[in-house]
Amino acid sequence: MALEELKKYTIIVADTGDFDAIKTYQPTDATTNPSLILAAAKMPQYKQLVDSTVSSSATLEEAMDRLFVAFGLEILKVVPGRVSTEVDARLSFDKDAQVAKARRLIKLYADAGIAKERVLIKLSSTWEGIQAAKLLEAEGIHCNLTLMFSMPQAIACAEAKVTLISPFVGRITDWYGKKLGVSSFDRESEPGVRFVRGVYNYYKKFGYKTEIMGASFRNTMQILELAGCDLLTISPALLEQLRVLPAEVPRRLCSERASQDCPDSAARSLNEAEFRWQLNEDEMATDKLAEGIRRFAADAATLEKQIEAALVAKSSA
C-alpha cells in the first residue's frame, strides 16, 4: 500500500496529539501544536491526563507547560523517534522569551527522564524565532521551525543550523487557490509542492544539514509528490487514506538530482534587514505567517481558559 511504499523514502511523522492514532499508523516521530493539543484535551480518553496535570500545577503557566510535556511524554511511549513540542505562538516576536520557554520545556522532559535528543522545540519562523533557534541549537537543544512559507525563512533557518523546518504545503496552496480563483492545481503547478521541492533542492545542493519536513497537507497527491523528502508530517485522516491506497510510490525528491534541479549558482545569506524586506515582498508568506501565529495563539488562549477553569475548580474543592 502507498503508506508502506512511502516509508521506503521518507520518515513518516504523525501530525496529531491522539495517542491511539499514533499507535495505529506507527510513525517514526510525532508533532504537536496548540491546535492539536486543544483537540486532544477535549477527548474523554485524555481527561485523566489533563486532570493529573492540573492537580500537580500551582499556576496557569506551569499547568500549560506541564500539559504540553505530558502529551509529549505519552507520545514518546509509542514512537521510536522524536516529538515536537511548540513554544507559545504569542512569544513569536520575543527571542529571549522563546529561549527561556524552550529551556523550561526541555527541563521538564529531562526531569521525566527524556533526553533532549528526543525532543524538537517548535518555534515560529519569524526572525526572532530563527535567532532563538540559533542560540538553542548551539546549546544542543534541537528545533523545528514551523509556519514556513518562503525561501528567506528557509535560508535563514539553514544559516542558523536549525535541525528541522516545517514548510506548510497546504496553506501555501490554499492562498494561491483563493488568489487565482481556482479550486485545484495539477501536479506540476501545485504551489505548496513546488515550494518544498525548491527548498529541498537548495539545501541538498549546498550541503545544509537542516532537515525538511513537509507539513499541512490537504490531499494524498501533495504527499506523494514529495516522496523522498526528509520527513513528512501527516494527519491521521490522510495516513488512513494512504494506508488503503493501492498505489506504487515513485521517488520524487532525490539528493543526487538536487544540483541540476536547483537554479541557484551559490548559497545565499541574509541579514535581518534583508530577511525582513524579502519576507515583506512575499505577500503570500506574510499573510500566512501572520495568520498562522494568530491561529495558534487563539487556540492556546482557548486551551488556557479550559485549564484555568480546572485550576479554579481544584482550588475551591
Side-chain angles (χ1 to χ4, degrees), residues 54-209:
V54 170
S55 66
S56 63
S57 303
T59 67
L60 178 58
E61 182 178 11
E62 180 186 4
M64 290 292 288
D65 290 346
R66 289 187 177 279
L67 182 63
F68 274 64
V69 171
F71 271 91
L73 291 172
E74 292 300 315
I75 289 169
L76 287 173
K77 293 178 182 178
V78 293
V79 300
R82 305 167 296 189
V83 67
S84 290
T85 298
E86 189 150 345
V87 166
D88 192 329
R90 291 167 292 186
L91 303 178
S92 293
F93 303 102
D94 187 331
K95 183 192 81 171
D96 293 340
Q98 290 176 86
V99 169
K101 180 64 74 175
R103 290 171 177 162
R104 165 69 177 161
L105 294 172
I106 288 295
K107 183 179 186 304
L108 288 172
Y109 275 110
D111 290 345
I114 299 298
K116 58 187 176 184
E117 287 74 22
R118 295 199 69 197
V119 181
L120 290 169
I121 296 296
K122 284 181 81 173
L123 301 163
S124 300
S125 297
T126 58
W127 178 259
E128 293 81 3
I130 295 167
Q131 299 314 301
K134 182 177 182 179
L135 193 156
L136 292 166
E137 293 282 359
E139 297 178 2
I141 296 174
H142 302 301
C143 299
N144 171 357
L145 271 289
T146 188
L147 295 175
M148 166 76 61
F149 303 102
S150 69
M151 279 304 296
Q153 293 172 295
I155 290 167
C157 285
E159 290 292 312
K161 298 182 179 179
V162 166
T163 296
L164 183 147
I165 62 168
S166 296
F168 275 31
V169 176
R171 295 193 194 184
I172 292 172
T173 297
D174 291 347
W175 190 92
Y176 281 106
K178 183 177 180 180
K179 182 79 169 179
L180 299 173
V182 299
S183 59
S184 63
F185 296 87
D186 61 33
R187 293 174 184 270
E188 294 304 314
S189 64
E190 221 284 350
V193 170
R194 290 180 65 187
F195 171 63
V196 176
R197 282 179 182 158
V199 174
Y200 177 93
N201 291 331
Y202 181 89
Y203 277 14
K204 303 309 178 189
K205 180 174 183 176
F206 297 114
Y208 289 111
K209 302 302 182 185

